[in-house]
Amino acid sequence: AQSVAQPEDQVNVAEGNPLTVKCTYSVSGNPYLFWYVQYPNRGLQFLLKYITGDNLVKGSYGFEAEFNKSQTSFHLKKPSALVSDSALYFCAVSVSGNTPLVFGKGTRLSVIA
Amino acid sequence: DAGVIQSPRHEVTEMGQEVTLRCKPISGHNSLFWYRQTMMRGLELLIYFNNNVPIDDSGMPEDRFSAKMPNASFSTLKIQPSEPRDSAVYFCASSLPDWGAGANVLTFGAGSRLTVL
């Protein structure tokens, strides 16, 4: 079985400050890890993914995520937050890319000007 | 490409009525997924298809729910009869057919918001 936990329902950060959205996972096998973002009244949009290789992956809109195997984590980060980053962020996992994605419950990010 | 197209965007119906949600995936995407989003349960996978064939429907909550994909460009999710607890946003998503590194990059539709009174 595979699962994802996003321990924070809400993250608040001031514009210009760094942001982190946390994610931990549990899989039997090699994890393929993903971040998606959802803006109001829209479907989810792909941000970035980790398959293998460098533990730090870069994605759209200046976001990056760090894969940590020992801590089974895949936290989303951005050096300087923008008000336009305010949205709902979902972490997701697949087992070796051979199973459908299982999503976390989402973390609402609010960037305050 | 216009992306994944879902209809209707909003549906309000009364308990006991039949509801049909529709989805047109991106051309060339042979995998199609139906997800349901609620505040309480988050995003749940209901069913997915590969090459128009249902692969796993274990997420379909009850026999009241059914899904079909008669061809590569169209899928439906039907609820009959509908109940208030079915109120949710239903998303359709599609992806490239191959599992592995290219897989799981889903393109989501804008969703169908269902309210059952």
Side-chain angles (χ1 to χ4, degrees), chain A residues 11 13-21 36-40 47 60-64 76-90 107-113:
Chain A
V11 170
V13 64
E15 187 176 29
N17 283 4
L19 70 86
T20 298
V21 182
Y36 283 76
V37 60
Q38 184 180 28
Y39 297 101
L47 265 183
S60 307
Y61 312 120
F63 283 93
E64 57 190 28
L76 180 70
K77 300 180 180 184
K78 187 173 182 181
S80 178
L82 300 172
V83 172
S84 57
D85 293 331
S86 299
L88 190 56
Y89 290 82
F90 291 91
T107 299
R108 187 165 300 281
L109 173 68
S110 180
V111 181
I112 304 160

Side-chain angles (χ1 to χ4, degrees), chain B residues 54-76:
Chain B
I55 303 300
D56 184 355
D57 66 353
S58 60
M60 297 284 260
E62 299 172 33
D63 290 345
R64 298 185 295 106
F65 285 70
S66 62
K68 294 182 179 179
M69 192 166 185
N71 57 61
S73 58
F74 185 65
S75 177
T76 60

Side-chain angles (χ1 to χ4, degrees), chain A residues 88 105 108, chain B residues 36-43 87-89 113:
Chain A
L88 190 56
K105 288 203 166 185
R108 187 165 300 281
Chain B
R36 177 171 69 175
Q37 185 178 33
T38 61
M39 290 288 291
M40 292 296 296
R41 301 173 68 92
L43 205 61
S87 297
V89 181
R113 182 176 295 276

Side-chain angles (χ1 to χ4, degrees), chain B residues 1-7 22-34 49 51-52 68-76 92-96 107-109:
Chain B
D1 200 319
V4 175
I5 300 172
Q6 291 187 247
S7 64
R22 297 172 177 81
C23 175
K24 176 179 169 55
I26 288 177
S27 177
H29 281 192
N30 287 20
S31 294
L32 184 140
F33 305 81
W34 282 100
F49 297 81
N51 297 314
N52 312 338
K68 294 182 179 179
M69 192 166 185
N71 57 61
S73 58
F74 185 65
S75 177
T76 60
C92 176
S94 67
S95 72
L96 290 170
T107 301
F108 281 78

Side-chain angles (χ1 to χ4, degrees), chain A residues 32 34 36 38 41-46 49 51 88 90 94-105 108, chain B residues 9 33 35 37 39-43 45 48 91 98-111 113:
Chain A
Y32 282 23
F34 299 78
Y36 283 76
Q38 184 180 28
N41 300 314
R42 302 282 295 276
L44 281 70
Q45 299 175 32
F46 169 76
K49 66 180 179 183
I51 304 297
L88 190 56
F90 291 91
S94 167
V95 181
S96 301
N98 292 324
T99 60
L101 289 179
V102 171
F103 286 86
K105 288 203 166 185
R108 187 165 300 281
Chain B
R9 288 295 312 276
F33 305 81
Y35 283 89
Q37 185 178 33
M39 290 288 291
M40 292 296 296
R41 301 173 68 92
L43 205 61
L45 177 65
Y48 76 97
F91 287 103
D98 299 320
W99 295 113
N104 299 133
V105 179
L106 305 181
T107 301
F108 281 78
R113 182 176 295 276

